[in-house]
Amino acid sequence: MLGRSPLAAAIRALRAELAGGPRADLGRDVRELGDLLAARAQRRPGTIFPELPEQELLAALPDAAALVSREGWVRVSNAAFDTLAASGRAAGLTPLEITRSAELSEAVRRALEGTARRLELQLGRRSYLVHLAPLLRGEVLLLLRDVTDARRAQATRRDFVANASHELRTPVAAIRAAAETLLAGAVDDPTAARRFVEIVARHAERLARLTEDLLDLSRLESRQWRFELAPVDAGQIASQAVELLTLAAREKGLSISAEVPAGASVRADPRALEQVLVNLVENAVKYTAVGGVTVRGERDGDAWVLSVVDTGPGIDRHHLPRIFERFYRIDPGRAREHGGTGVGLAIVKHLVPGMDGEVGVESGTGGSRFWIRLPVAGEQSFTVRP
Ligand code: ADP
């Protein structure tokens, strides 16, 4: 059959031409067939416009992604999705087998029936935003975005706002009550008036400290505090901190001194270092009833260790890991009475690492020692960092 058809003749002539013979004379039908084949080749995927392999597409996605077959098992998945499977390979398994989540499995089933869905899912300790999109050929695209960090940050912010509002409420309530009492008549009684105005002044002062501390903390936590690191005379800053609290210490009958050797030059941000030492010395004075407070400086290798030592009540061992958390107080009533905001040590905890230093505490029945360790100032140690 082939031997006698015009097509067979055209093929023979083409073979002869390609082998070096004369140019083949093709019939009209054969030329038309050739044109049609060429047109089809141009349109067919995989030839002129190669189809992007699904694997490559999924690999390019920033989320864990998989294509779920009509039968309900994962046909293709990217590396992030594979890590969700205990075996490290998701292909061939159902979403239920991979995640053990009945909720996700049900959502996939609904998506296979054609309903797009979004849901948030907890898998182990991580949170995922799940997006399910039915595709034209009856499969489902399954995307899982890890939102654990974002959710944690939101929870921290919520906590912060709740705690801060709680702290602000006490002085605001005291000021309001004092003002109302004054307005109700106490203002006409000079002795009573003085007492209530003093209450207003004291709580206004506390409000001012609280808002300042909260602003500092929020700047530090959101990394908006710029550290300007330069060689700093630690002895001088220690003396300034001690001077600032000498009056408060004397009023309580406490001794207070700075014993930092001359030439203790550290690489630090002077403003931040002063705030750290003031916070530590202030606490030491606040919580110590008898004895005194000393700021010491000791060289340790390529660092200086500055310690604030007190003869106070000490801190129970089980509180130690938590006292640097914001709003954590051992005795909330007494700390507030002392004018504490509960964020002093949290600020210290942020400021010290910002200067490449370390901070710690040792405490026992004889008192507490809060220490910070800062690098010795080098030759070219001027740095600005956010
Ligand atoms: P506060 O403003 O309440 O002092 P801080 O963050 O500075 O907050 O300190 C947290 C808690 O750690 C304090 O409420 C107090 O219970 C405890 N603390 C801090 N420094 C000392 C110290 N030198 N001696 C005893 N307890 C301390």
Side-chain angles (χ1 to χ4, degrees):
M1 179 78 189
L2 185 74
R4 268 170 275 130
S5 74
L7 184 57
I11 289 172
R12 261 199 309 277
L14 268 172
R15 280 208 184 109
E17 179 188 322
L18 290 173
R23 188 176 160 79
D25 181 18
L26 304 176
R28 200 175 61 88
D29 287 350
V30 176
R31 276 199 304 275
E32 194 182 333
L33 180 62
D35 289 346
L36 286 171
L37 282 172
R40 189 179 73 161
Q42 287 220 1
R43 292 218 327 232
R44 211 172 69 204
T47 48
I48 305 293
F49 302 111
E51 194 174 36
L52 270 179
E54 291 153 331
Q55 188 73 58
E56 194 181 343
L57 265 177
L58 294 193
L61 291 176
D63 303 319
L67 288 174
V68 181
S69 73
R70 283 168 200 255
E71 293 76 28
W73 41 266
V74 170
R75 191 168 62 74
V76 193
S77 55
N78 64 10
F81 195 92
D82 282 343
T83 62
L84 297 173
S87 63
R89 217 181 119 69
L93 302 175
T94 64
L96 182 65
E97 286 167 331
I98 295 163
T99 63
R100 312 232 166 273
S101 163
E103 196 186 348
L104 177 65
S105 182
E106 173 60 16
V108 170
R109 196 187 60 74
R110 301 264 318 266
L112 285 168
E113 290 169 4
T115 322
R117 286 209 62 193
R118 267 171 181 280
L119 63 145
E120 192 156 339
L121 201 68
Q122 194 75 27
L123 295 179
R125 298 164 67 98
R126 308 204 70 81
S127 312
Y128 293 93
L129 205 58
V130 180
H131 184 81
L132 286 153
L135 302 178
L136 279 180
R137 57 176 177 239
E139 294 191 324
V140 161
L141 173 65
L142 168 56
L143 293 175
L144 277 90
R145 173 161 299 173
D146 191 331
V147 290
T148 314
D149 292 344
R151 292 293 174 267
R152 270 191 205 141
Q154 274 169 3
T156 312
R157 254 195 315 273
R158 258 200 317 273
D159 250 31
F160 185 94
V161 172
N163 282 323
S165 325
H166 180 78
E167 292 297 327
L168 293 169
R169 203 172 285 148
T170 318
V172 168
I175 289 172
R176 181 191 275 163
E180 279 167 4
T181 315
L182 281 166
L183 286 174
V187 73
D188 299 321
D189 170 354
T191 339
R194 184 168 183 86
R195 210 172 72 241
F196 286 109
V197 171
E198 273 167 11
I199 291 177
V200 170
R202 198 167 66 241
H203 286 280
E205 168 71 18
R206 184 169 158 68
L207 262 183
R209 286 186 52 153
L210 247 171
T211 44
E212 227 163 84
D213 278 2
L214 289 175
L215 275 176
D216 280 348
L217 190 60
S218 115
R219 244 179 247 134
L220 282 162
E221 290 193 348
S222 57
R223 298 176 182 280
Q224 277 166 16
W225 183 300
R226 272 167 73 83
F227 287 93
E228 297 188 11
L229 301 178
V232 173
D233 180 349
Q236 192 193 336
I237 306 260
S239 301
Q240 282 166 9
V242 161
E243 213 176 286
L244 209 67
L245 286 141
T246 297
L247 192 65
R250 287 228 183 97
E251 279 175 358
K252 293 182 75 178
L254 300 173
S255 65
I256 184 165
S257 61
E259 295 167 11
V260 179
S265 181
V266 293
R267 184 167 164 275
D269 175 328
R271 206 167 45 101
L273 179 57
E274 181 171 4
Q275 186 160 356
V276 166
L277 288 179
V278 167
N279 281 359
L280 296 180
V281 175
E282 196 173 22
N283 276 352
V285 171
K286 231 165 32 184
Y287 297 108
T288 303
V290 280
V293 177
T294 319
V295 184
R296 295 212 186 105
E298 280 140 346
R299 178 82 186 242
D300 179 19
D302 53 5
W304 278 96
V305 178
L306 304 172
S307 309
V308 178
V309 184
D310 68 48
T311 55
I315 300 162
D316 250 20
R317 197 189 305 193
H318 72 278
H319 288 299
L320 282 181
R322 300 202 55 193
I323 54 167
F324 288 97
E325 288 174 19
R326 56 168 131 89
F327 304 113
Y328 188 82
R329 298 183 178 107
I330 293 166
D331 180 350
R334 276 193 48 209
R336 272 200 205 99
E337 199 180 291
H338 284 127
T341 58
V343 292
L345 288 181
I347 292 175
V348 168
K349 183 79 178 168
H350 278 288
L351 286 176
V352 177
M355 300 186 283
D356 302 325
E358 287 170 59
V359 56
V361 57
E362 287 159 12
S363 196
T365 44
S368 308
R369 178 173 91 96
F370 284 83
W371 56 265
I372 62 170
R373 199 184 148 85
L374 289 170
V376 166
E379 293 292 303
Q380 306 108 0
S381 56
F382 288 88
T383 326
V384 175
R385 86 157 66 109

